[in-house]
């Protein structure tokens, strides 16, 4: 989640911080904790966590808790990958940038101006689709990626290669 009350560190209150951390980071911790015993029992497994491109490059918008939570997901992914690799359990992350979805259309870019400004910072010239992100997850779950663990796959159409999507500190929502 990235609610409106998650803003600058000077504005975001402890309640907003805690809510975002619980949903975005603690939930990932709890899911990993619950699934690992089953994977150990079957002798293999693949965990795919959802980070965000802001975990890799930082966020130019004011969303301190969201950015920190996704960075935490990435760090946890890498730690779990090292810890469980010898048990044939792979742990990776997908870090999407903006992508087309029903929820995002109303929340992230309520008007065409915001969407156009976001699009201007994506070298590929478009947002990803949810099915493209899902297709990558399917590959990570397949045997074709058996030697891949601890990786973060940024899926942002090249946006993380350079800034220019908005001015640092400006809230784009």
């Amino acid at each position: 989640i990235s609610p409106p009350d998650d803003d600058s560190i000077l504005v975001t209150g402890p309640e907003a911080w805690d809510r975002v951390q619980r949903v975005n980071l603690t939930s990932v911790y709890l899911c990993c904790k619950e699934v690992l015993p089953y994977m150990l029992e079957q002798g293999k497994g693949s965990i795919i966590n959802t980070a965000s491109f802001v975990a890799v490059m930082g966020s130019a918008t004011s969303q301190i808790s969201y950015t920190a939570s996704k960075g935490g997901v990435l760090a946890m992914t890498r730690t779990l990958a090292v810890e469980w690799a010898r048990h044939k359990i792979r742990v990776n992350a997908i870090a999407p940038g903006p992508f087309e979805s029903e929820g995002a259309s109303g929340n992230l870019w309520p008007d065409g101006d915001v969407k156009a400004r976001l699009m201007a910072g994506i070298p590929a010239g478009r947002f990803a689709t949810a099915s493209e992100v899902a297709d990558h997850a399917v590959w990570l779950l397949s045997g074709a990626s058996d030697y891949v663990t601890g990786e973060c796959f940024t899926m942002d159409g090249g946006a993380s290669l350079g800034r220019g999507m908005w001015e640092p500190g400006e809230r784009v929502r």
Side-chain angles (χ1 to χ4, degrees), residues 11-78:
V11 174
T12 303
E15 301 81 19
W17 173 272
D18 289 343
R19 185 172 69 256
V20 172
Q21 294 302 313
R22 278 193 318 272
V23 172
N24 291 0
L25 182 57
T26 304
S27 65
V28 174
Y29 156 79
L30 292 170
C31 287
C32 290
K33 184 176 178 65
E34 289 301 313
V35 75
L36 276 164
Y38 296 101
M39 292 181 172
L40 285 169
E41 186 178 307
Q42 71 184 15
K44 66 179 182 175
S46 178
I47 295 172
I48 304 167
N49 292 324
T50 304
S52 168
F53 75 140
V54 301
V56 176
M57 64 186 254
S59 178
T61 66
S62 297
Q63 52 182 14
I64 191 67
S65 190
Y66 177 83
T67 303
S69 71
K70 294 304 185 172
V73 168
L74 185 51
M76 181 173 23
T77 297
R78 290 177 173 154

Side-chain angles (χ1 to χ4, degrees), residues 44-123:
K44 66 179 182 175
S46 178
I47 295 172
I48 304 167
N49 292 324
T50 304
S52 168
F53 75 140
V54 301
V56 176
M57 64 186 254
S59 178
T61 66
S62 297
Q63 52 182 14
I64 191 67
S65 190
Y66 177 83
T67 303
S69 71
K70 294 304 185 172
V73 168
L74 185 51
M76 181 173 23
T77 297
R78 290 177 173 154
T79 298
L80 292 172
V82 170
E83 184 176 357
W84 299 102
R86 295 210 184 261
H87 298 276
K88 298 183 183 173
I89 298 171
R90 299 176 298 110
V91 187
N92 292 289
I94 295 176
F99 64 92
E100 294 286 354
S101 74
E102 208 172 289
S105 297
N107 296 327
L108 294 178
W109 39 85
D111 62 57
D113 181 52
V114 171
K115 187 173 182 178
R117 290 173 58 215
L118 284 168
M119 189 75 71
I122 301 173

Side-chain angles (χ1 to χ4, degrees), residues 94 96 98-102 126-140 155:
I94 295 176
F99 64 92
E100 294 286 354
S101 74
E102 208 172 289
R126 65 177 183 85
F127 295 146
T129 64
S131 79
E132 286 173 317
V133 177
D135 288 345
H136 199 73
V138 168
W139 176 77
L140 282 171
M155 298 182 68

